[in-house]
Amino acid sequence: MYWTLNIQPNPNEKGTSFIYKLVVKLLTEQRALILINKKLKSNYLYIADDFNADKNILYEKTFSNITIVDDEGNCLQLNKTYNSENSIYFSIKNDNLVKASTDFSNNVGKIVKAIQKSFIRNNTSKWRLANPGNQPTLMDPKTNKPVDYNDYKDKITEGLLSEEEAIVLLSEQFRLEELNSQNKSNNKNSNDYESIFKKIGDQVAQKWNIPLDIFYGSKTEKSTGTNDFITFAVDPYFELLEDGFNLGLVGRKSYLQGEYIEFNKHNITHKDILDSASGIDKLTSSRFSRNEINELLGLPLIDEDWANEHYITKNYANVKGGAEEDG
């Protein structure tokens, strides 16, 4: 079972990518189905990419029209119908949460589009080319013909909007005014919209119970964000997966006899053995064996008898009020 869940759930997939795919599907689609292909010595586990569940409520659900897709895009359609005997069904579906998520995504799209339009509109110069009345017609000195107003406007615009330095030739008959020159304070830059995107990010983090300093990557040494993230955002899914694996792979009889599957959450964050030296010393003096500590640190177990022995190096009072001798 350890090999199946951690190393190779099936001949073409590794344990880490299998769990990752399971969690992503569960979070994005609110449900996931694991197929159990029972073999003589082990079980092969596959994640269904698509499936139909029947509408049974009082009785166990069955699953049909199942599709499996590998990393290369090869697709396999299964004709077999699965049930609780040969599959594990996970569901965190919440219609209200899904609706809120869809509405949020749609609204965010509209907000971002409005921000983009506003940024472009407020930072694009608008000009007014005035031709006062009672003025003689502007003549082209080369052709000695009247200059068309639109042609003259295009020549001026080419110089004004050029990224290179330019001199704009403007007749005294015309007056050129920048329409938004008196309202420069309203021109937008990317900093003006940081607060809006911050609010969007805050709502996403809140939806998934992710601490803000973890979400934005601004975690400090004194921050408890990592532990809060594990406790409130990760642990509930650990428990959900544990329940499903125990139900589908262990079974009621074996579970009640003491057999169970449990995720090792002690190593979910990186631990530096040198930084943990004081804590290791305290654990050693509190009856933890060397191998038990190694397991907590994610270190290899030591195949020696002394590594499994327990030592007591401090005096602790027992429940009767006596004191244990130093060991």
Side-chain angles (χ1 to χ4, degrees):
M1 188 67 68
Y2 182 91
W3 176 271
T4 300
L5 293 179
N6 291 275
I7 309 300
Q8 191 179 41
N10 61 67
N12 298 312
E13 201 165 12
K14 306 298 185 293
T16 301
S17 58
F18 177 86
I19 294 295
Y20 180 81
K21 180 179 179 180
L22 173 63
V23 173
V24 169
K25 182 168 286 292
L26 186 59
L27 292 178
T28 57
E29 300 180 15
Q30 284 77 52
R31 66 174 193 165
L33 180 67
I34 295 179
L35 308 178
I36 305 174
N37 189 3
K38 297 185 178 181
K39 298 295 182 180
L40 293 177
K41 295 183 179 181
S42 63
N43 295 322
Y44 287 158
L45 306 180
Y46 300 87
I47 298 175
D49 286 84
D50 191 22
F51 62 92
N52 292 335
D54 65 24
K55 298 181 181 180
N56 285 331
I57 296 178
L58 297 179
Y59 304 98
E60 68 172 21
K61 288 185 177 297
T62 59
F63 308 96
S64 58
N65 297 327
I66 299 172
T67 302
I68 300 176
V69 181
D70 65 10
D71 293 339
E72 284 71 39
N74 300 309
C75 180
L76 176 64
Q77 185 75 34
L78 304 180
N79 295 323
K80 181 179 178 180
T81 298
Y82 285 75
N83 55 33
S84 60
E85 294 294 326
N86 50 16
S87 66
I88 306 173
Y89 178 60
F90 300 95
S91 176
I92 55 171
K93 188 174 182 180
N94 185 319
D95 291 337
N96 292 330
L97 182 61
V98 172
K99 184 178 184 302
S101 178
T102 301
D103 292 344
F104 175 76
S105 299
N106 293 336
N107 291 333
V108 166
K110 294 178 181 178
I111 292 173
V112 173
K113 189 174 182 179
I115 290 174
Q116 183 183 24
K117 288 183 177 180
S118 177
F119 179 82
I120 295 174
R121 182 173 59 251
N122 285 279
N123 288 278
T124 302
S125 296
K126 303 295 189 299
W127 302 83
R128 177 173 180 267
L129 183 62
N131 182 7
N134 301 322
Q135 293 288 339
T137 302
L138 184 66
M139 304 295 293
D140 188 325
K142 293 182 178 181
T143 62
N144 200 29
K145 294 181 179 180
V147 176
D148 182 75
Y149 181 83
N150 289 326
D151 292 340
Y152 187 64
K153 180 191 67 173
D154 292 339
K155 290 182 180 181
I156 295 176
T157 302
E158 182 179 354
L160 290 174
L161 302 183
S162 172
E163 295 182 356
E164 306 294 334
E165 294 183 355
I167 297 176
V168 178
L169 181 62
L170 187 65
S171 170
E172 292 184 354
Q173 292 181 242
F174 294 90
R175 185 175 70 255
L176 189 63
E177 300 175 352
E178 187 177 1
L179 295 179
N180 48 2
S181 61
Q182 299 178 354
N183 200 23
K184 282 291 186 181
S185 60
N186 289 335
N187 281 20
K188 305 296 182 181
N189 57 60
S190 59
N191 294 329
D192 294 323
Y193 301 112
E194 285 186 359
S195 61
I196 296 178
F197 285 105
K198 177 68 164 54
K199 290 179 181 179
I200 294 173
D202 290 352
Q203 291 186 49
V204 173
Q206 183 181 22
K207 174 185 175 183
W208 296 111
N209 295 320
I210 303 175
L212 295 180
D213 57 351
I214 299 295
F215 186 81
Y216 291 112
S218 58
K219 182 178 178 295
T220 62
E221 292 182 359
K222 297 182 179 180
S223 170
T224 62
T226 299
N227 290 334
D228 294 339
F229 176 57
I230 295 171
T231 301
F232 299 108
V234 178
D235 268 352
Y237 296 101
F238 272 128
E239 296 175 4
L240 178 65
L241 296 179
E242 286 174 352
D243 290 344
F245 286 134
N246 281 308
L247 178 64
L249 299 177
V250 177
R252 183 174 183 270
K253 181 179 179 180
S254 297
Y255 185 86
L256 295 178
Q257 291 177 348
E259 181 182 347
Y260 59 90
I261 294 173
E262 182 179 15
F263 283 93
N264 181 4
K265 290 170 278 189
H266 300 298
N267 302 323
I268 197 170
T269 57
H270 172 74
K271 298 181 181 66
D272 188 289
I273 189 170
L274 298 179
D275 293 339
S276 306
S278 298
I280 292 174
D281 179 65
K282 292 183 179 298
L283 290 175
T284 302
S285 67
S286 302
R287 296 185 177 182
F288 278 82
S289 71
R290 181 68 246 183
N291 274 338
E292 288 173 336
I293 295 173
N294 278 17
E295 186 176 1
L296 294 175
L297 294 172
L299 297 174
L301 299 183
I302 302 172
D303 189 17
E304 297 287 347
D305 291 339
W306 64 264
N308 295 310
E309 294 177 357
H310 301 84
Y311 300 90
I312 303 175
T313 61
K314 296 183 182 295
N315 291 325
Y316 292 95
N318 59 31
V319 293
K320 296 181 180 180
E324 297 180 352
E325 298 181 354
D326 287 349

